[in-house]
Amino acid sequence: MQSHPLPDPVLATPEAGPAPAAPIAATRRGVLKATGLLTGTLALSSVLASLAPSRSWALDLKGLSSHQGAVILAFSRHLYPHPHLEDAVYALVVKELDGKAAATPATKKTLADGVARLDHVGSGDWLKRGAALQEIDVAAMEGTPFFTLVRSTAVVALYNNDMAFAHFGYGGKKGNDGYLYKGFNDLKWLPNPPAAASGPIPKG
Amino acid sequence: MSDIGNKKTFALDDDHVMVVIGSGAGGGTLAAELAKKGIDVVVLEAGKLTPRTEFLPDEWASFTQLAWLDKRTTSGTWRVAKDFPGLPAWICKTVGGTSVHWAGAALRIQPHEFKARTTYGNLPGANLLDWPVTREELDPYYTRAEDKMGVTRTHGMPGLPGNNNFKVMYGGATKLGYKECSTGHMAINSTFRDGRNHCFQRGFCFQGCRYGAKWSTLYTEIPQGQATGHMELRPECHVSRIEHDKTGKVTAVLYYDASGHLQRQKARAVSVAGNSIETPRLLLLSESSKFPDGLANSSGQVGRNYLRHTTASVYATFDHQVDMFKGTTMAGIISDESRFDPSRGFVGGFHMETISLGLAFYSSFLNPGAWGKEFAEAMDGYSRTAGMWIVGEDMPQESNRITLNHDVKDQFGLPVANVHFDDHPNDTAMRDYGFERGEAVYRAVGARKTYRVPPYPSTHNLGTCRMSEKPSDGVCNSYGQAHDVPNLFISDGSQFTTGAAENPTLTIVTLALRQADHIAAQMHKGAI
C-alpha cells in the first residue's frame, strides 16, 4: 500500500496558495488542449451559486478522459457521501487527480487501472451500475493503490475549498479580520458563563 | 539583509559571541535576554523570516508556509507512525519557531509535578526522575515570564472573552461539578499591552497571529534583542554540527546558509534550542572521537525519554449551531483533572482545553484514513460541533527516543531523525479516562454524538535532553548546562525532566530567563 507522509495534495502542490478554485466556467474554456471534459449545473437553490461565475460549470481534463473523470467523481461521492453537496465540489477531486495524472505517468496508470477495474465489474461501464452495487465495489477496492490515491486526495480537495466551506458552514478566510465585532459568542442555546470565568470584550 | 532588522552583525571568526541555535520560545527568549545584558549573540534559525502580515488564513497553505517539513521517519506502535509516517511532529521551521503556531495556553507546572519520581513512585517501565529544580525556585521566573508574555489573569490582565466553543465546554463542565473552568491563562493580549494589539478572535491561532496579540518571539523578543545592538539574527541557516576543542569545550558551529554554503561560526558558548527532535539530532550528529555516542551524551540519555504529552481530542455534535471556529483556538480550560489522584487508575493529570479546527484540518485529523457514511455524517455536523483537546502527562520511557536514521538523508545529506514512540500503560489509561470525561462534558449539555479523535502529530515535544541532578541520569543540569560540556546549553523543551500536565511554552520561557541569568553570571566569573 502506498504510504503518504502528508495528505497528497500538500506534497504535490508545495506552493499550496489559496484553496482550489471552482472548476473553470464554461464560457472561459478553449485554450487548453483537453483530453476530456466534465460538465454540470448548480442547483437553482444552491448556496454555492454566489461563489461561481455561472450556474454551468465545466472542467477541462488534461490527463484523464471524460469517462475516467466521471467515474472518479462518482467514486468520490461514495467515499464521502454528502447527498446535498453539489457535483461541482466533487469535481475538485477530479481536478486535483487530473493534474497529478497529467504530471506523473505512474499516477495516470494507477487511475486508469482503477477505472478499468471498476468498468470490468460494471460490465463495461461502472457508471451504469446501481448505487448500492457501486457502494460495494468502492468498499472492495479499499487497500488498492487507486483507492488510497483517490481517498487521500479527496479528503483534502473536497473539504478545502470555498464552496465546501459555504456548504458545511466554516468561515474560512472570512474570519481573517476577526469575529470579535461580528458574530463572536453568538451561540444562544446556552447561558453566558459568569464574568469571572470569561472576560470583557475590548473596546474597539 | 536590512529587512531582517539586525543593527549589528558579527564576523564568522569572532569567537567571543554566544551562538543560539533556534529562535523559538526557548532560543528566541534566551538570545534576547543575553543581548539585553550586553552579551553578543548570533541566532541561527533554520527557517525563513515570515512577517506576521504574511500569515495566511488558510490551514493547508499556512501549514506549508510555517511547518517543519524536512524529512523525518517514525517507528513504534503510536498511531501517528501509521497515519503520518513522515510527520511525527507539527512544529515550525520559521523565525519564531513554534511560538508562531502555539495556541497560547500558559500554565505553570504544579509543585508536585517537579517531583514526579517522589510523587508517583516507581512505575514499571517509566524512567521517572525528579527535576533538579523546584517550583519555588522557578516561581520568580514564572512571574517574569507571565509579565513578559502578557498572560491573562496575571499582572492585572483580564481573561479573554469566552467564545461559542468555550460556552459549550463551560456548560458541560459546570453540570459535571467541575470547579476550575475558565478562559484560562493565555499569552494572548486581552487588552492593548506592551505595544501589541488585543485579540480580535480570528480563530487562526495555529496559523500565526496576524495582529500580534498572541505572544511569539517573532515580534517580541527577537526585535527587542536586535534593538540592543548585541544580537544578530541569521534566518535560513541550518546547523549541521557543533565542534569542540581537545578539552571538550565547544568552539564553533557548522551551518548551511541560505544559499546552501557550509559556514563555520566560532563561538564562546553554544545554546541548542531546535525543539526536542532536532536538538538531540544535532548532538548525535556532532559525535567525535572524544564524544563517540554524540556530544554531551556520556549518560546515553541524549534522544531518550521522548515525551509528547498524552493527547487526544473529543468532538461532539449538537442540535444547534456552535461555529467552534469563531475565536481563539484554545478558548477555555478545565483544570480539575490535572491533580494527582491515582484512584482514577493512573498517575499524573491532564487538562481539557477547547480546540477548534477549520473544515480542512477537521477532515484530515478527525479520523485519518476514514471514509464512508459515518465519516461524512460527522463532516455534515461541522457547524454544530464543539471540540476539546486532552493534554496530560505521559511517562518518560528510555525506549521512546530520537535516533539518527542513516538510511534516510535530508537535503544536506545528513541522516534524518527517527522518532520512536509507544504508549506506556499509564498513558493509555489516562487517555481512556480523558475520553470518558470529555464525552461526559459534552453529553451533559445535550451532545447528539461524540467522537474520540486520536493524537495529532506532536506539538509538545519534550524530554530528549533532560535535566538531572546526577550526570548519569540526564544530559544537563538545572540551568540546561550540559553535564559533559560546560559551555553548551540546552534551551528548549528537551531539557524537561518530565512532561507534567501543562502546555510547555511558559515553562520553556521561564527556564530561558533563568538560564540567561546563569550564563551571564558564569561569563562574569570567567567560567565560560
Side-chain angles (χ1 to χ4, degrees):
Chain A
M1 198 168 112
Q2 248 173 295
S3 118
H4 292 273
L6 290 173
D8 235 324
V10 175
L11 286 183
T13 55
E15 76 282 12
I24 304 157
T27 50
R28 289 166 50 210
R29 290 190 59 229
V31 184
L32 300 165
K33 191 180 166 197
T35 57
L37 177 69
L38 269 190
T39 59
T41 309
L42 294 178
L44 267 177
S45 58
S46 175
V47 296
L48 310 183
S50 64
L51 295 170
S54 113
R55 278 186 57 224
S56 298
W57 59 266
L59 173 63
D60 275 315
L61 300 174
K62 296 164 289 180
L64 300 171
S65 70
S66 303
H67 176 71
Q68 286 170 332
V71 168
I72 290 168
L73 191 150
F75 193 91
S76 302
R77 282 208 85 101
H78 284 291
L79 281 175
Y80 298 111
H82 300 288
H84 304 295
L85 185 61
E86 299 272 2
D87 272 350
V89 187
Y90 287 95
L92 295 175
V93 179
V94 179
K95 185 183 178 190
E96 192 72 30
L97 286 166
D98 179 62
K100 292 181 188 182
T104 315
T107 302
K108 186 171 178 166
K109 184 171 186 314
T110 299
L111 293 170
D113 289 352
V115 171
R117 178 164 160 183
L118 289 167
D119 280 339
H120 179 72
V121 298
S123 307
D125 185 357
W126 191 66
L127 294 171
K128 295 203 173 121
R129 211 157 146 85
L133 288 175
Q134 282 183 341
E135 200 179 316
I136 293 167
D137 297 340
V138 170
M141 293 281 273
E142 189 169 13
T144 64
F146 174 80
F147 182 99
T148 304
L149 174 63
V150 176
R151 193 213 64 77
S152 64
T153 304
V155 75
V156 177
L158 189 63
Y159 299 112
N160 187 28
N161 62 81
D162 288 344
M163 292 191 290
F165 295 172
H167 176 89
F168 292 99
Y170 169 52
K173 61 178 181 285
K174 282 191 287 185
N176 198 24
D177 293 335
Y179 292 100
L180 189 62
Y181 305 119
K182 56 170 189 189
F184 183 71
N185 189 25
D186 59 357
L187 186 158
K188 302 292 181 222
W189 53 274
L190 284 170
N192 272 319
S198 185
I201 299 281
K203 292 196 175 66
Chain B
M1 296 291 276
S2 61
D3 57 347
I4 288 169
N6 290 325
K7 285 199 164 169
K8 168 99 179 159
T9 56
F10 300 97
L12 289 170
D13 62 357
D14 185 343
D15 62 2
H16 91 285
V17 298
M18 168 127 194
V19 170
V20 175
I21 302 163
S23 65
T29 301
L30 174 69
E33 286 299 307
L34 293 175
K36 288 174 192 176
K37 295 171 189 291
I39 295 166
D40 289 335
V41 185
V42 171
V43 179
L44 299 174
E45 165 57 52
K48 291 180 184 167
L49 178 65
T50 301
R52 58 185 167 85
T53 49
E54 292 176 20
F55 291 156
L56 302 168
D58 176 320
E59 291 178 305
W60 279 122
S62 169
F63 182 80
T64 308
Q65 180 185 49
L66 300 174
W68 187 286
L69 298 175
D70 291 8
K71 268 188 224 165
R72 284 170 176 157
T73 58
T74 46
S75 57
T77 52
W78 56 325
R79 189 170 156 180
V80 168
K82 172 177 167 280
D83 294 332
F84 306 99
L87 189 75
W90 180 356
I91 53 181
C92 295
K93 182 178 182 177
T94 191
V95 173
T98 308
S99 77
V100 171
H101 161 78
W102 77 309
L107 310 174
R108 294 188 187 193
I109 293 180
Q110 302 168 79
H112 73 268
E113 291 172 323
F114 285 103
K115 298 170 181 156
R117 175 64 179 81
T118 302
T119 311
Y120 306 156
N122 183 20
L123 221 60
N127 193 21
L128 281 165
L129 194 67
D130 289 353
W131 291 52
V133 64
T134 64
R135 164 70 179 263
E136 294 69 36
E137 291 170 81
L138 285 188
D139 268 338
Y141 290 98
Y142 268 129
T143 300
R144 274 178 58 195
E146 288 164 345
D147 187 27
K148 167 191 290 296
M149 300 164 84
V151 175
T152 58
R153 294 190 165 81
T154 75
H155 301 274
M157 294 266 286
L160 285 162
N163 65 12
N164 292 349
N165 206 15
F166 171 66
K167 197 183 268 188
V168 178
M169 168 179 269
Y170 185 85
T174 311
K175 288 214 168 150
L176 291 188
Y178 283 138
K179 303 292 184 213
E180 301 168 53
C181 178
S182 74
T183 56
H185 291 288
M186 305 298 295
I188 299 177
N189 274 355
S190 53
T191 55
F192 191 93
R193 186 179 191 269
D194 201 21
R196 290 186 288 123
N197 219 325
H198 62 75
C199 173
F200 280 81
Q201 303 285 346
R202 297 168 64 236
F204 289 106
C205 301
F206 285 166
Q207 286 72 37
C209 184
R210 195 160 74 85
Y211 289 111
K214 178 185 78 182
W215 179 86
S216 168
T217 54
L218 172 65
Y219 36 77
T220 59
E221 312 311 301
I222 291 169
Q224 289 168 22
Q226 289 172 311
T228 64
H230 290 287
M231 185 186 120
E232 178 190 353
L233 170 70
R234 293 185 202 157
E236 296 182 82
C237 290
H238 187 110
V239 178
S240 58
R241 186 176 184 84
I242 302 170
E243 295 184 324
H244 61 80
D245 63 15
K246 279 184 293 191
T247 68
K249 280 192 169 187
V250 296
T251 53
V253 304
L254 295 180
Y255 68 93
Y256 291 94
D257 67 16
S259 36
H261 295 120
L262 194 61
Q263 307 285 3
R264 173 181 284 110
Q265 173 65 54
K266 289 192 175 175
R268 174 183 187 179
V270 172
S271 143
V272 192
N275 209 310
S276 300
I277 297 175
E278 290 308 311
T279 289
R281 177 185 178 222
L282 180 58
L283 298 185
L284 295 173
L285 285 171
S286 302
E287 65 180 343
S288 66
S289 54
K290 189 168 180 67
F291 298 105
D293 299 321
L295 190 60
N297 195 22
S298 67
S299 64
Q301 294 292 307
V302 168
R304 293 189 185 271
N305 313 303
Y306 169 63
L307 301 163
R308 64 179 309 277
H309 271 148
T310 292
T311 65
S313 304
V314 176
Y315 291 90
T317 50
F318 295 85
D319 287 335
H320 308 290
Q321 203 83 1
V322 176
D323 290 348
M324 63 175 163
F325 58 87
K326 289 182 180 172
T328 51
T329 304
M330 224 154 255
I333 301 176
I334 301 172
S335 296
D336 298 67
E337 299 283 3
S338 68
R339 68 190 189 278
F340 172 61
D341 175 7
S343 73
R344 293 173 298 182
F346 53 87
V347 300
F350 63 92
H351 292 270
M352 290 180 267
E353 303 174 342
T354 73
I355 196 167
S356 66
L357 296 176
L359 192 76
F361 275 7
Y362 193 62
S363 67
S364 287
F365 292 114
L366 177 65
N367 186 5
W371 59 280
K373 281 181 181 162
E374 199 186 346
F375 181 87
E377 183 190 295
M379 294 305 299
D380 285 335
Y382 177 79
S383 65
R384 294 175 283 107
T385 301
M388 71 164 76
W389 195 46
I390 292 159
V391 50
E393 176 163 7
D394 54 341
M395 290 298 110
Q397 301 180 74
E398 285 206 314
S399 53
N400 285 343
R401 63 187 294 204
I402 313 304
T403 53
L404 298 179
N405 184 343
H406 291 277
D407 298 329
V408 182
K409 301 288 165 61
D410 70 5
Q411 63 269 41
F412 307 110
L414 302 167
V416 306
N418 184 71
V419 183
H420 180 96
F421 190 85
D422 301 302
D423 278 322
H424 186 278
N426 194 77
D427 305 344
T428 309
M430 180 189 288
R431 184 178 295 114
D432 289 346
Y433 181 88
F435 273 138
E436 281 171 31
R437 297 310 291 166
E439 289 179 322
V441 166
Y442 287 140
R443 289 213 183 95
V445 276
R448 179 164 281 232
K449 191 153 187 187
T450 57
Y451 298 93
R452 296 182 170 199
V453 172
Y456 314 120
S458 324
T459 301
H460 298 175
N461 301 277
L462 305 165
T464 52
C465 294
R466 68 180 185 179
M467 56 169 66
S468 62
E469 195 67 56
K470 286 192 263 172
S472 56
D473 287 335
V475 178
C476 58
N477 67 20
S478 77
Y479 297 102
Q481 185 172 22
H483 288 304
D484 299 344
V485 184
N487 64 342
L488 176 67
F489 295 84
I490 310 297
S491 311
D492 58 16
S494 307
Q495 52 182 329
F496 281 30
T497 310
T498 53
E502 287 71 29
N503 309 52
T505 302
L506 176 70
T507 301
I508 292 172
V509 172
T510 297
L511 291 173
L513 296 177
R514 183 167 177 268
Q515 186 178 62
D517 283 355
H518 177 72
I519 290 173
Q522 295 268 301
M523 286 183 171
H524 189 69
K525 281 195 297 187
I528 54 176

